[in-house]
Amino acid sequence: MKLQRKNGLRATAFGALAVTGALVLTACGSDDNTNGTGNGGKTSAASNIKCDGAKGKLLASGSSAQKNAMDLWVKNYMAACSGVEINYKSSSSGEGIVAFTQGTVGFAGSDSALKPDEVADSKKICKTGQGINLPMVGGPIAIGYNLPGVEGLTLDAATIAKIFNNKITKWNDPAIAELNKGKDLPDTAIQAFHRSEDSGTTQNLGKYLGATADADWPYEAEKKWPAPGGQAASGSSGVAAQVKQVEGAIGYFELSYATSQSIPTVDIATGAAAPVKATSENASKAIAAAKVKGTGKDLALELDYATKADGAYPIVLVTYEVVCDTGNKGDTLDTVKSFLTYTASDEGQKVLSDAGYAPIPAEINAKVRETVAGLS
Protein backbone atom coordinates (compact mmCIF):
# COMPACT_ATOMS: atom_id res chain seq x y z
CA MET A 1 0.00 0.00 0.00
CA LYS A 2 1.66 3.12 -1.17
CA LEU A 3 1.76 6.17 1.06
CA GLN A 4 2.63 9.57 -0.22
CA ARG A 5 3.21 12.59 2.00
CA LYS A 6 2.08 15.70 0.28
CA ASN A 7 4.28 18.74 0.86
CA GLY A 8 1.84 21.49 0.17
CA LEU A 9 0.59 19.99 -3.06
CA ARG A 10 -3.14 20.27 -3.06
CA ALA A 11 -6.10 19.33 -5.20
CA THR A 12 -4.67 20.88 -8.33
CA ALA A 13 -2.43 17.85 -8.62
CA PHE A 14 -5.35 15.55 -9.04
CA GLY A 15 -7.78 14.77 -11.82
CA ALA A 16 -11.41 15.46 -11.27
CA LEU A 17 -13.56 13.18 -10.09
CA ALA A 18 -18.39 5.90 -6.89
CA VAL A 19 -26.42 -1.63 -4.77
CA THR A 20 -24.03 -3.78 -4.00
CA GLY A 21 -23.20 -6.71 -6.25
CA ALA A 22 -24.78 -6.87 -9.66
CA LEU A 23 -27.99 -4.92 -9.52
CA VAL A 24 -29.38 -4.52 -12.99
CA LEU A 25 -32.01 -1.99 -13.86
CA THR A 26 -34.23 -3.33 -16.62
CA ALA A 27 -37.21 -1.02 -16.69
CA CYS A 28 -39.76 -1.78 -19.36
CA GLY A 29 -40.58 0.57 -22.17
CA SER A 30 -44.11 1.80 -22.48
CA ASP A 31 -46.44 -0.21 -24.67
CA ASP A 32 -48.68 2.79 -24.99
CA ASN A 33 -47.66 4.80 -28.01
CA THR A 34 -50.32 7.42 -27.56
CA ASN A 35 -47.83 9.84 -26.02
CA GLY A 36 -44.72 8.61 -27.76
CA THR A 37 -43.62 7.80 -31.25
CA GLY A 38 -41.15 5.04 -30.48
CA ASN A 39 -37.68 5.36 -31.92
CA GLY A 40 -38.13 6.75 -35.37
CA GLY A 41 -36.41 10.02 -34.64
CA LYS A 42 -39.52 11.76 -33.40
CA THR A 43 -40.13 13.45 -30.09
CA SER A 44 -42.50 12.14 -27.44
CA ALA A 45 -45.52 14.37 -27.00
CA ALA A 46 -45.25 13.83 -23.24
CA SER A 47 -41.66 15.07 -23.01
CA ASN A 48 -38.79 16.54 -24.97
CA ILE A 49 -36.99 13.20 -25.25
CA LYS A 50 -35.88 12.50 -28.82
CA CYS A 51 -35.54 8.78 -29.56
CA ASP A 52 -33.56 9.47 -32.76
CA GLY A 53 -33.23 5.94 -34.15
CA ALA A 54 -32.62 4.32 -30.75
CA LYS A 55 -33.50 0.64 -30.71
CA GLY A 56 -32.86 -2.66 -28.98
CA LYS A 57 -30.89 -3.16 -25.78
CA LEU A 58 -28.10 -0.94 -24.45
CA LEU A 59 -25.85 -2.28 -21.68
CA ALA A 60 -24.03 0.09 -19.33
CA SER A 61 -22.42 -0.29 -15.92
CA GLY A 62 -20.33 1.39 -13.25
CA SER A 63 -20.72 3.93 -10.48
CA SER A 64 -23.24 3.22 -7.76
CA ALA A 65 -23.07 6.92 -6.89
CA GLN A 66 -25.25 7.74 -9.88
CA LYS A 67 -27.61 4.78 -9.51
CA ASN A 68 -30.56 6.79 -8.20
CA ALA A 69 -30.15 9.35 -10.99
CA MET A 70 -29.81 6.59 -13.56
CA ASP A 71 -32.98 4.93 -12.26
CA LEU A 72 -34.94 8.11 -12.96
CA TRP A 73 -33.35 8.71 -16.34
CA VAL A 74 -33.91 5.17 -17.57
CA LYS A 75 -37.52 5.16 -16.41
CA ASN A 76 -38.30 8.45 -18.14
CA TYR A 77 -36.39 7.59 -21.31
CA MET A 78 -37.91 4.16 -21.78
CA ALA A 79 -41.41 5.52 -21.19
CA ALA A 80 -40.83 7.85 -24.15
CA CYS A 81 -38.95 5.44 -26.42
CA SER A 82 -40.81 2.15 -26.68
CA GLY A 83 -38.81 -0.80 -27.94
CA VAL A 84 -35.62 0.42 -26.26
CA GLU A 85 -34.18 -1.27 -23.15
CA ILE A 86 -31.43 0.38 -21.08
CA ASN A 87 -29.71 -1.97 -18.62
CA TYR A 88 -27.47 -0.13 -16.15
CA LYS A 89 -25.55 -2.45 -13.81
CA SER A 90 -24.79 -0.48 -10.66
CA SER A 91 -21.54 -1.79 -9.18
CA SER A 92 -18.52 0.49 -8.91
CA SER A 93 -16.53 2.92 -11.02
CA GLY A 94 -13.67 0.44 -11.30
CA GLU A 95 -15.89 -2.34 -12.58
CA GLY A 96 -17.56 0.03 -15.03
CA ILE A 97 -14.24 1.11 -16.56
CA VAL A 98 -13.14 -2.52 -16.90
CA ALA A 99 -16.39 -3.38 -18.67
CA PHE A 100 -15.94 -0.40 -21.00
CA THR A 101 -12.34 -1.20 -21.90
CA GLN A 102 -13.37 -4.81 -22.53
CA GLY A 103 -16.09 -3.65 -24.91
CA THR A 104 -19.02 -5.24 -23.08
CA VAL A 105 -20.96 -2.00 -22.46
CA GLY A 106 -21.98 0.98 -24.57
CA PHE A 107 -20.90 3.42 -21.87
CA ALA A 108 -19.62 3.33 -18.28
CA GLY A 109 -20.37 5.45 -15.24
CA SER A 110 -17.32 6.56 -13.26
CA ASP A 111 -16.78 8.97 -10.37
CA SER A 112 -13.21 9.56 -11.52
CA ALA A 113 -11.85 10.58 -14.89
CA LEU A 114 -10.02 7.98 -16.95
CA LYS A 115 -6.35 7.50 -16.14
CA PRO A 116 -3.77 7.51 -18.96
CA ASP A 117 -3.50 3.70 -18.95
CA GLU A 118 -7.29 3.40 -19.10
CA VAL A 119 -7.37 5.79 -22.07
CA ALA A 120 -4.75 3.60 -23.76
CA ASP A 121 -6.86 0.49 -23.10
CA SER A 122 -9.95 2.22 -24.50
CA LYS A 123 -8.28 2.71 -27.88
CA LYS A 124 -8.46 -1.04 -28.46
CA ILE A 125 -12.24 -0.83 -28.23
CA CYS A 126 -12.88 2.59 -29.73
CA LYS A 127 -10.71 1.66 -32.75
CA THR A 128 -10.67 5.06 -34.45
CA GLY A 129 -10.84 7.08 -31.23
CA GLN A 130 -10.55 6.82 -27.47
CA GLY A 131 -12.57 6.95 -24.30
CA ILE A 132 -13.60 10.39 -23.09
CA ASN A 133 -15.19 11.71 -19.89
CA LEU A 134 -18.58 13.45 -20.02
CA PRO A 135 -19.57 15.02 -16.66
CA MET A 136 -23.24 14.18 -16.18
CA VAL A 137 -24.06 13.97 -12.46
CA GLY A 138 -22.82 16.13 -9.61
CA GLY A 139 -23.46 15.98 -5.92
CA PRO A 140 -22.21 15.96 -2.36
CA ILE A 141 -20.51 13.02 -0.70
CA ALA A 142 -22.27 13.03 2.63
CA ILE A 143 -20.62 11.92 5.86
CA GLY A 144 -23.44 10.03 7.55
CA TYR A 145 -23.47 9.03 11.21
CA ASN A 146 -25.55 7.12 13.76
CA LEU A 147 -25.43 8.79 17.15
CA PRO A 148 -28.87 8.92 18.81
CA GLY A 149 -29.56 12.23 20.54
CA VAL A 150 -26.85 14.13 18.68
CA GLU A 151 -28.12 16.38 15.92
CA GLY A 152 -26.27 18.87 13.75
CA LEU A 153 -22.86 17.28 14.23
CA THR A 154 -19.98 19.36 12.87
CA LEU A 155 -16.58 18.00 11.81
CA ASP A 156 -13.65 19.48 9.94
CA ALA A 157 -11.21 17.84 7.54
CA ALA A 158 -8.66 17.00 10.23
CA THR A 159 -11.15 15.23 12.49
CA ILE A 160 -12.67 13.32 9.56
CA ALA A 161 -9.20 12.22 8.49
CA LYS A 162 -8.31 11.10 12.02
CA ILE A 163 -11.58 9.20 12.38
CA PHE A 164 -11.13 7.27 9.13
CA ASN A 165 -7.41 6.82 9.84
CA ASN A 166 -8.25 5.19 13.21
CA LYS A 167 -6.67 8.01 15.23
CA ILE A 168 -9.91 9.20 16.85
CA THR A 169 -11.89 6.27 18.24
CA LYS A 170 -14.45 7.77 20.66
CA TRP A 171 -17.30 10.15 19.91
CA ASN A 172 -16.47 12.34 22.93
CA ASP A 173 -12.89 12.85 21.77
CA PRO A 174 -11.71 16.41 22.62
CA ALA A 175 -11.24 17.26 18.93
CA ILE A 176 -14.89 16.44 18.18
CA ALA A 177 -16.08 18.14 21.37
CA GLU A 178 -14.26 21.35 20.44
CA LEU A 179 -16.23 21.52 17.19
CA ASN A 180 -19.54 20.72 18.91
CA LYS A 181 -19.64 22.86 22.04
CA GLY A 182 -22.83 22.47 24.01
CA LYS A 183 -23.59 19.01 22.62
CA ASP A 184 -23.67 15.99 24.91
CA LEU A 185 -21.33 13.61 23.10
CA PRO A 186 -21.40 10.01 24.38
CA ASP A 187 -18.42 7.83 25.24
CA THR A 188 -19.35 5.56 22.33
CA ALA A 189 -16.81 3.77 20.20
CA ILE A 190 -16.65 5.04 16.62
CA GLN A 191 -17.41 2.40 14.00
CA ALA A 192 -16.01 3.74 10.73
CA PHE A 193 -17.23 2.13 7.50
CA HIS A 194 -15.62 2.39 4.07
CA ARG A 195 -16.11 0.86 0.62
CA SER A 196 -14.79 -2.68 0.15
CA GLU A 197 -14.33 -2.44 -3.63
CA ASP A 198 -12.55 0.08 -5.85
CA SER A 199 -14.68 3.19 -5.72
CA GLY A 200 -14.63 6.65 -7.21
CA THR A 201 -16.46 7.86 -4.12
CA THR A 202 -13.52 6.67 -2.03
CA GLN A 203 -11.11 8.41 -4.38
CA ASN A 204 -12.97 11.71 -4.19
CA LEU A 205 -13.09 11.59 -0.40
CA GLY A 206 -9.34 10.98 -0.53
CA LYS A 207 -8.86 14.00 -2.78
CA TYR A 208 -10.73 16.17 -0.30
CA LEU A 209 -8.74 14.90 2.68
CA GLY A 210 -5.47 15.16 0.78
CA ALA A 211 -6.22 18.75 -0.17
CA THR A 212 -7.33 19.88 3.28
CA ALA A 213 -5.77 17.56 5.90
CA ASP A 214 -2.61 16.17 4.36
CA ALA A 215 -0.85 15.98 7.75
CA ASP A 216 -3.52 13.56 8.97
CA TRP A 217 -4.21 11.78 5.68
CA PRO A 218 -0.88 10.69 4.17
CA TYR A 219 -2.35 8.59 1.36
CA GLU A 220 -2.66 8.86 -2.37
CA ALA A 221 -6.18 9.47 -3.63
CA GLU A 222 -6.95 6.08 -5.13
CA LYS A 223 -10.13 4.06 -5.67
CA LYS A 224 -8.98 1.39 -3.21
CA TRP A 225 -9.44 2.26 0.47
CA PRO A 226 -5.94 3.04 1.82
CA ALA A 227 -6.18 3.42 5.59
CA PRO A 228 -5.84 0.72 8.27
CA GLY A 229 -8.70 -0.33 10.48
CA GLY A 230 -12.35 0.40 9.94
CA GLN A 231 -14.95 -1.92 8.47
CA ALA A 232 -15.77 -2.51 4.83
CA ALA A 233 -19.10 -2.73 3.04
CA SER A 234 -19.93 -3.15 -0.61
CA GLY A 235 -21.32 -0.23 -2.58
CA SER A 236 -22.67 3.07 -1.34
CA SER A 237 -25.85 1.25 -0.39
CA GLY A 238 -23.88 -1.21 1.73
CA VAL A 239 -22.04 1.51 3.63
CA ALA A 240 -25.28 3.44 4.17
CA ALA A 241 -27.04 0.30 5.43
CA GLN A 242 -24.30 -0.32 8.01
CA VAL A 243 -24.39 3.27 9.24
CA LYS A 244 -28.16 3.05 9.54
CA GLN A 245 -27.98 -0.14 11.60
CA VAL A 246 -24.90 0.31 13.82
CA GLU A 247 -24.94 2.78 16.71
CA GLY A 248 -21.73 4.82 16.75
CA ALA A 249 -21.19 4.31 13.03
CA ILE A 250 -19.90 6.80 10.49
CA GLY A 251 -19.48 6.39 6.75
CA TYR A 252 -19.44 8.20 3.42
CA PHE A 253 -21.88 7.94 0.53
CA GLU A 254 -23.85 10.09 -1.87
CA LEU A 255 -26.48 12.34 -0.33
CA SER A 256 -29.31 10.45 -2.02
CA TYR A 257 -28.56 7.40 0.15
CA ALA A 258 -28.68 9.49 3.33
CA THR A 259 -31.90 11.15 2.23
CA SER A 260 -33.67 7.92 1.30
CA GLN A 261 -32.76 6.25 4.63
CA SER A 262 -33.10 9.32 6.90
CA ILE A 263 -29.45 9.15 7.98
CA PRO A 264 -28.20 12.38 9.60
CA THR A 265 -25.21 13.97 7.90
CA VAL A 266 -22.22 15.94 9.16
CA ASP A 267 -21.88 19.69 8.62
CA ILE A 268 -18.37 20.52 7.41
CA ALA A 269 -16.32 23.30 9.00
CA THR A 270 -14.33 24.63 6.04
CA GLY A 271 -13.15 27.97 7.36
CA ALA A 272 -16.20 29.70 5.90
CA ALA A 273 -18.43 31.88 8.05
CA ALA A 274 -20.46 28.85 9.14
CA PRO A 275 -20.24 25.07 8.81
CA VAL A 276 -21.68 23.89 5.51
CA LYS A 277 -24.48 21.35 5.22
CA ALA A 278 -24.49 18.56 2.65
CA THR A 279 -27.15 19.74 0.21
CA SER A 280 -27.47 19.71 -3.56
CA GLU A 281 -27.49 23.52 -3.62
CA ASN A 282 -24.30 23.77 -1.57
CA ALA A 283 -22.58 21.13 -3.70
CA SER A 284 -23.55 23.08 -6.83
CA LYS A 285 -21.73 26.13 -5.46
CA ALA A 286 -18.53 24.11 -5.24
CA ILE A 287 -18.96 22.38 -8.61
CA ALA A 288 -19.70 25.69 -10.34
CA ALA A 289 -16.07 26.70 -9.75
CA ALA A 290 -14.75 23.58 -11.53
CA LYS A 291 -12.44 23.96 -14.52
CA VAL A 292 -12.31 21.69 -17.56
CA LYS A 293 -8.87 20.11 -17.53
CA GLY A 294 -9.46 17.57 -20.31
CA THR A 295 -8.22 18.18 -23.83
CA GLY A 296 -10.01 17.80 -27.13
CA LYS A 297 -13.44 16.26 -26.59
CA ASP A 298 -12.55 15.07 -23.10
CA LEU A 299 -14.35 17.10 -20.44
CA ALA A 300 -12.68 15.89 -17.24
CA LEU A 301 -13.00 18.49 -14.49
CA GLU A 302 -10.71 19.87 -11.81
CA LEU A 303 -12.48 20.67 -8.54
CA ASP A 304 -11.42 22.89 -5.66
CA TYR A 305 -11.76 20.59 -2.64
CA ALA A 306 -10.13 23.19 -0.39
CA THR A 307 -12.77 25.86 -1.04
CA LYS A 308 -13.66 28.14 1.85
CA ALA A 309 -16.43 29.95 0.01
CA ASP A 310 -19.51 30.53 2.14
CA GLY A 311 -22.12 27.88 1.51
CA ALA A 312 -19.88 25.74 -0.74
CA TYR A 313 -19.90 22.10 0.34
CA PRO A 314 -16.38 20.82 -0.36
CA ILE A 315 -16.74 17.01 -0.46
CA VAL A 316 -18.21 16.64 -3.92
CA LEU A 317 -17.98 14.30 -6.82
CA VAL A 318 -18.81 14.49 -10.47
CA THR A 319 -19.83 11.26 -12.14
CA TYR A 320 -18.81 10.88 -15.76
CA GLU A 321 -20.35 8.85 -18.52
CA VAL A 322 -17.39 7.32 -20.36
CA VAL A 323 -17.85 6.80 -24.10
CA CYS A 324 -15.76 6.58 -27.26
CA ASP A 325 -15.39 9.91 -29.03
CA THR A 326 -15.27 8.01 -32.32
CA GLY A 327 -15.42 4.30 -33.06
CA ASN A 328 -18.54 3.54 -31.04
CA LYS A 329 -20.33 0.31 -31.92
CA GLY A 330 -22.74 0.86 -34.77
CA ASP A 331 -25.56 -1.18 -33.26
CA THR A 332 -25.69 0.94 -30.09
CA LEU A 333 -24.42 4.35 -31.23
CA ASP A 334 -27.85 5.87 -31.91
CA THR A 335 -29.15 4.69 -28.55
CA VAL A 336 -26.09 5.98 -26.66
CA LYS A 337 -26.41 9.39 -28.32
CA SER A 338 -30.15 9.58 -27.81
CA PHE A 339 -30.01 8.56 -24.15
CA LEU A 340 -27.08 10.84 -23.25
CA THR A 341 -28.72 13.70 -25.15
CA TYR A 342 -31.64 13.31 -22.76
CA THR A 343 -29.52 13.02 -19.59
CA ALA A 344 -27.61 16.20 -20.52
CA SER A 345 -30.77 18.10 -21.46
CA ASP A 346 -32.45 20.68 -19.25
CA GLU A 347 -35.20 18.15 -18.64
CA GLY A 348 -32.75 15.41 -17.70
CA GLN A 349 -30.69 17.61 -15.40
CA LYS A 350 -33.77 19.03 -13.71
CA VAL A 351 -34.64 15.69 -12.11
CA LEU A 352 -31.28 15.56 -10.30
CA SER A 353 -31.97 18.09 -7.54
CA ASP A 354 -35.05 16.27 -6.29
CA ALA A 355 -33.00 13.06 -6.06
CA GLY A 356 -30.24 14.61 -3.92
CA TYR A 357 -27.84 15.34 -6.77
CA ALA A 358 -26.53 18.59 -8.24
CA PRO A 359 -27.03 19.50 -11.91
CA ILE A 360 -23.89 20.07 -13.95
CA PRO A 361 -23.24 23.85 -14.33
CA ALA A 362 -24.79 25.23 -17.52
CA GLU A 363 -21.52 26.33 -19.15
CA ILE A 364 -19.98 22.89 -18.76
CA ASN A 365 -23.19 21.11 -19.68
CA ALA A 366 -23.36 23.03 -22.97
CA LYS A 367 -20.01 21.46 -23.91
CA VAL A 368 -21.32 18.03 -22.93
CA ARG A 369 -24.29 18.40 -25.26
CA GLU A 370 -22.07 19.49 -28.11
CA THR A 371 -19.76 16.54 -27.58
CA VAL A 372 -22.63 14.02 -27.38
CA ALA A 373 -24.04 15.35 -30.63
CA GLY A 374 -20.70 14.68 -32.33
CA LEU A 375 -20.19 11.09 -31.14
CA SER A 376 -19.62 8.69 -34.02
Side-chain angles (χ1 to χ4, degrees):
M1 189 175 300
K2 184 178 180 181
L3 305 184
Q4 179 183 0
R5 288 280 180 182
K6 304 173 185 65
N7 298 319
L9 296 179
R10 299 267 167 156
T12 53
F14 296 107
L17 326 150
V19 244
T20 293
L23 292 183
V24 181
L25 179 64
T26 54
C28 298
S30 172
D31 292 324
D32 180 4
N33 292 327
T34 304
N35 293 326
T37 55
N39 40 4
K42 298 180 182 179
T43 303
S44 167
S47 71
N48 294 317
I49 297 175
K50 294 183 178 180
C51 303
D52 284 338
K55 60 184 181 298
K57 180 183 290 187
L58 173 63
L59 301 179
S61 69
S63 164
S64 66
Q66 69 172 10
K67 177 196 180 295
N68 294 332
M70 193 62 68
D71 284 359
L72 291 170
W73 282 336
V74 170
K75 177 182 177 181
N76 294 343
Y77 181 83
M78 290 175 58
C81 301
S82 62
V84 182
E85 184 179 356
I86 311 289
N87 286 9
Y88 183 78
K89 178 182 176 182
S90 173
S91 50
S92 69
S93 298
E95 291 179 49
I97 295 302
V98 169
F100 178 74
T101 56
Q102 291 179 344
T104 60
V105 296
F107 70 89
S110 177
D111 307 331
S112 298
L114 292 168
K115 294 181 178 179
D117 62 322
E118 292 169 339
V119 173
D121 288 342
S122 74
K123 293 179 179 179
K124 303 171 186 176
I125 298 301
C126 299
K127 304 299 184 185
T128 60
Q130 66 180 47
I132 57 173
N133 305 283
L134 301 178
M136 200 68 71
V137 183
I141 299 174
I143 306 296
Y145 68 98
N146 183 338
L147 207 57
V150 179
E151 299 180 356
L153 186 72
T154 295
L155 298 175
D156 60 12
T159 56
I160 293 170
K162 290 175 183 176
I163 286 171
F164 283 109
N165 201 20
N166 206 34
K167 301 299 184 183
I168 291 179
T169 59
K170 294 282 188 177
W171 277 111
N172 63 350
D173 186 276
I176 300 177
E178 178 65 23
L179 292 164
N180 294 274
K181 294 178 180 178
K183 288 185 171 60
D184 185 15
L185 298 172
D187 184 30
T188 303
I190 296 175
Q191 307 287 335
F193 287 89
H194 58 264
R195 291 282 289 273
S196 60
E197 74 285 10
D198 287 1
S199 162
T201 310
T202 293
Q203 187 172 38
N204 283 295
L205 176 64
K207 289 177 181 178
Y208 163 71
L209 294 176
T212 55
D214 58 333
D216 300 301
W217 192 255
Y219 308 108
E220 291 184 3
E222 298 290 350
K223 293 178 181 177
K224 184 177 180 62
W225 182 255
Q231 302 176 62
S234 182
S236 291
S237 62
V239 175
Q242 291 298 319
V243 173
K244 179 73 173 180
Q245 296 168 11
V246 178
E247 185 170 337
I250 189 170
Y252 59 94
F253 33 79
E254 294 67 42
L255 180 62
S256 60
Y257 291 93
T259 301
S260 65
Q261 298 190 50
S262 300
I263 299 172
T265 61
V266 169
D267 298 343
I268 305 298
T270 64
V276 185
K277 295 185 178 299
T279 68
S280 296
E281 180 182 2
N282 291 344
S284 291
K285 291 178 182 178
I287 296 172
K291 307 295 183 183
V292 175
K293 69 160 195 167
T295 58
K297 295 181 180 180
D298 185 81
L299 298 177
L301 301 179
E302 183 176 332
L303 297 165
D304 180 10
Y305 297 99
T307 180
K308 295 181 180 180
D310 287 344
Y313 185 81
I315 318 177
V316 294
L317 60 75
V318 169
T319 289
Y320 300 96
E321 310 311 338
V322 177
V323 296
C324 297
D325 54 359
T326 63
N328 288 279
K329 294 180 180 179
D331 58 344
T332 57
L333 174 60
D334 287 343
T335 307
V336 168
K337 291 180 68 172
S338 172
F339 180 66
L340 296 184
T341 295
Y342 161 61
T343 63
S345 69
D346 288 340
E347 183 177 352
Q349 290 289 299
K350 186 177 180 180
V351 306
L352 295 180
S353 294
D354 292 339
Y357 295 98
I360 298 299
E363 182 179 349
I364 296 171
N365 197 41
K367 297 177 182 178
V368 173
R369 296 178 191 176
E370 180 182 354
T371 302
V372 170
L375 298 179
S376 64

